[in-house]
Amino acid sequence: MKLWDKGISIDKKIEKFTVGNDRELDLFLAEYDITASKAHAKMLGKIEILTSDEVEDILVELNKLQTQVADGSFVIEEDFEDVHSKIEFELTKTLGDTGKKIHTARSRNDQVLVAMQLYFKANLSEIYSKTENLIDVLLGLAKEHQNKLLPGYTHLQVAMPSSFGLWFSAYAEIMIDDLYLLQAGLKIVDQNPLGSAAGYGSSFPIDREFTTKELGFKTLKYNVVAAQMSRGKCERTVTSNIASLANTLSRFSMDICLYMSQNFDFISFPDELTTGSSIMPHKKNPDVFELIRGKCNKLQAIANEMILITNNLPSGYHRDFQLIKENSIYAVENIKEILDVFIHSIALIKVKDIDMQDEKYKYLFTVDSINDLVIQGKSFREAYKDIGGQVENGTYIPAHIKKHTHIGSKDNLALEEIAKKKGL
């Protein structure tokens, strides 16, 4: 069963190659294709292509299919090319000629477009919510551990005093930037492409403003060619936004892996969150965060793949677009799982007390020592040379740990101000 079937058989090898794994992927899109089909049927009734009875009959059957999707019993058998052909077949099987009318004034192109954008819209909102949740957890940890000191590093060399409060809230605030990008992605996918058909509109007097309101889109993609060109752009945008968040989570995971190692020994996790070695009984490995790091790096690669597949395609539809469906759905589903695991795990982190008097941390305080001399009247450059000379000849004595009072520093975290930025 193919929507484009004209009664001519197709080479089975070619059919397998062109269909790919669409049946499997389309299970993620089924509920959205049904939702769009319901809106389309109502619109066809409004412009009197369908009678009110026909619209009602179609809606009843689509509701039954939606129930199957919800309870997991909906299946796309190998007889069908994709979810779109499956749904039309079910309508035709039950309603006869009425079911055959559902494809009037639309193409599989705008069917895929609207289903994908509804999918992206729903899932970006979910990703946004999960990210907000993680930010709140991190701000809570920052407040809880704001007074616990942590060595700061540059070039992986001991640098200046930091704190766990500064570390947790740093990732919270940088993640707010990822929220802004997710908001931008939502704005781009929240434009109704339905009615663009194969990319050049329809001679039927369709009401695109009606379907826009019916589907809950904020606006529509007015130009039908622009609507078709949004295939690829939406996937690039969504995967790029996800890649930015993945980059943040990957870097955070790297910090965690370092800080868990014996050489740092700043943090730990409950045994049930770590794994062991088959031959070294002492091992407690941070596999969760290593996998998050690797998965997040893979998500960043997907964003580049979207660009490479679509960057030189002319306007209009091309079958290349089929290749971006799989990894854009993969990116969405994986970042949701990663966020769930991260939120669950980071909430159980154990922060250790660090002996800042340890010899290896003695140079954490050189900048504070320089500042003491400046306050006493020396120029910064002269004070820098004095302390640098003490470090060189081994006579440097660390200064006492000092308060850093300016906003955003270790002793003035501005946690409330950071939290407010989420709502901007």
Side-chain angles (χ1 to χ4, degrees):
M1 172 65 184
K2 302 175 182 66
L3 297 183
W4 52 270
D5 191 348
K6 297 182 286 290
I8 302 171
S9 61
I10 186 171
D11 186 300
K12 292 300 180 184
K13 185 175 289 188
I14 298 301
E15 179 178 34
K16 181 180 179 181
F17 182 76
T18 54
V19 170
N21 60 349
D22 263 11
R23 284 184 287 267
E24 177 185 342
L25 295 171
D26 280 358
L27 290 175
F28 290 100
L29 304 179
E31 65 172 294
Y32 304 104
D33 192 68
I34 293 169
T35 297
S37 293
K38 288 162 73 172
H40 185 68
K42 290 178 185 178
M43 186 277 295
L44 291 178
K46 184 174 182 292
I47 65 172
E48 300 182 347
I49 296 293
L50 295 177
T51 67
S52 58
D53 287 343
E54 287 175 326
V55 172
E56 186 59 33
D57 289 343
I58 288 172
L59 293 179
V60 167
E61 296 307 315
L62 287 173
N63 284 333
K64 290 179 183 177
L65 292 175
Q66 211 153 35
T67 300
Q68 290 178 22
V69 171
D71 65 24
S73 62
F74 182 82
V75 178
I76 306 172
E77 296 87 352
E78 288 190 9
D79 296 339
F80 301 101
E81 187 174 24
D82 50 33
V83 67
H84 318 295
S85 54
K86 163 72 173 181
I87 290 170
E88 185 169 327
F89 173 83
E90 293 296 335
L91 292 177
T92 302
K93 183 176 72 171
T94 307
L95 302 176
D97 287 345
T98 297
K100 296 177 182 179
K101 295 181 180 181
I102 189 63
H103 202 59
T104 305
R106 70 177 181 179
S107 164
R108 188 167 62 165
N109 290 351
D110 64 342
Q111 268 191 274
V112 176
L113 272 169
V114 72
M116 287 295 293
Q117 286 184 223
L118 287 170
Y119 168 81
F120 286 142
K121 184 180 173 184
N123 281 280
L124 281 179
S125 295
E126 185 177 350
I127 293 165
Y128 188 99
S129 178
K130 290 178 187 293
T131 305
E132 276 193 309
N133 189 1
L134 177 53
I135 290 168
D136 290 340
V137 171
L138 294 177
L139 290 176
L141 289 168
K143 185 174 184 180
E144 180 183 354
H145 301 291
Q146 60 186 318
N147 296 320
K148 285 201 170 184
L149 290 176
L150 175 72
Y153 293 81
T154 62
H155 308 276
L156 279 181
Q157 308 291 308
V158 168
M160 289 179 65
S162 181
S163 71
F164 282 101
L166 203 60
W167 182 55
F168 286 124
S169 58
Y171 278 105
E173 186 168 8
I174 204 72
M175 218 171 283
I176 292 172
D177 293 340
D178 299 319
L179 285 184
Y180 296 159
L181 288 173
L182 291 171
Q183 285 177 329
L186 273 166
K187 195 168 185 178
I188 287 173
V189 301
D190 201 6
Q191 304 175 82
N192 180 24
L194 188 59
S196 57
Y200 300 96
S202 172
S203 59
F204 290 105
I206 57 175
D207 189 339
R208 298 188 65 212
E209 291 177 330
F210 174 86
T211 56
T212 298
K213 291 178 182 177
E214 191 71 21
L215 291 170
F217 282 107
K218 188 172 183 179
T219 186
L220 57 83
K221 206 73 168 179
Y222 292 98
N223 185 297
V224 290
V225 175
Q228 179 56 63
M229 290 172 70
S230 66
R231 183 82 186 270
K233 185 158 193 173
C234 286
E235 287 85 348
R236 287 196 305 273
T237 300
V238 169
T239 54
S240 176
N241 297 161
I242 289 172
S244 177
L245 176 58
N247 177 269
T248 304
L249 296 175
S250 179
R251 295 180 68 184
F252 198 177
S253 296
M254 183 63 207
D255 276 5
I256 290 169
C257 292
L258 280 176
Y259 291 177
M260 281 183 68
S261 71
Q262 291 90 339
N263 294 50
F264 287 82
D265 199 29
F266 298 157
I267 59 174
S268 65
F269 286 87
D271 290 349
E272 58 267 27
L273 294 187
T274 62
T275 61
S277 163
S278 62
I279 63 170
M280 294 174 284
H282 67 281
K283 296 295 290 296
K284 292 181 180 179
N285 300 322
D287 284 15
V288 167
F289 294 100
E290 290 174 348
L291 284 171
I292 289 174
R293 183 177 61 197
K295 285 174 177 284
C296 284
N297 290 340
K298 187 172 182 178
L299 293 180
Q300 293 175 79
I302 287 173
N304 289 331
E305 179 186 276
M306 296 295 119
I307 295 171
L308 291 172
I309 292 175
T310 62
N311 71 342
N312 62 349
L313 295 179
S315 60
Y317 176 77
H318 310 277
R319 196 60 180 263
D320 310 52
F321 290 128
Q322 180 180 345
L323 303 179
I324 64 177
K325 180 195 288 185
E326 178 177 6
N327 275 349
S328 59
I329 291 175
Y330 174 93
V332 167
E333 298 301 324
N334 271 265
I335 196 65
K336 290 191 297 182
E337 181 184 27
I338 288 167
L339 285 165
D340 285 340
V341 171
F342 210 115
I343 291 166
H344 173 72
S345 301
I346 199 67
L348 299 174
I349 192 171
K350 297 178 180 180
V351 170
K352 297 186 177 183
D353 292 320
I354 301 169
D355 181 9
M356 303 300 277
Q357 304 305 316
D358 190 302
E359 181 70 15
K360 63 178 173 283
Y361 301 134
K362 102 186 256 191
Y363 295 130
L364 277 173
F365 308 100
T366 57
V367 176
D368 285 342
S369 297
I370 292 170
N371 293 350
D372 283 344
L373 294 179
V374 170
I375 290 171
Q376 293 168 20
K378 285 192 175 184
S379 69
F380 176 83
R381 188 54 55 208
E382 186 181 3
Y384 178 89
K385 289 181 179 179
D386 283 354
I387 298 300
Q390 292 174 26
V391 170
E392 281 294 316
N393 62 33
T395 60
Y396 173 72
I397 299 174
H400 295 295
I401 297 171
K402 290 182 169 53
K403 291 284 186 182
H404 294 187
T405 58
H406 71 78
I407 193 166
S409 62
K410 69 178 177 67
D411 300 304
N412 186 2
L413 295 175
L415 298 181
E416 291 183 6
E417 288 77 6
I418 292 172
K420 288 176 184 176
K421 289 175 71 175
K422 289 193 302 174
L424 295 180

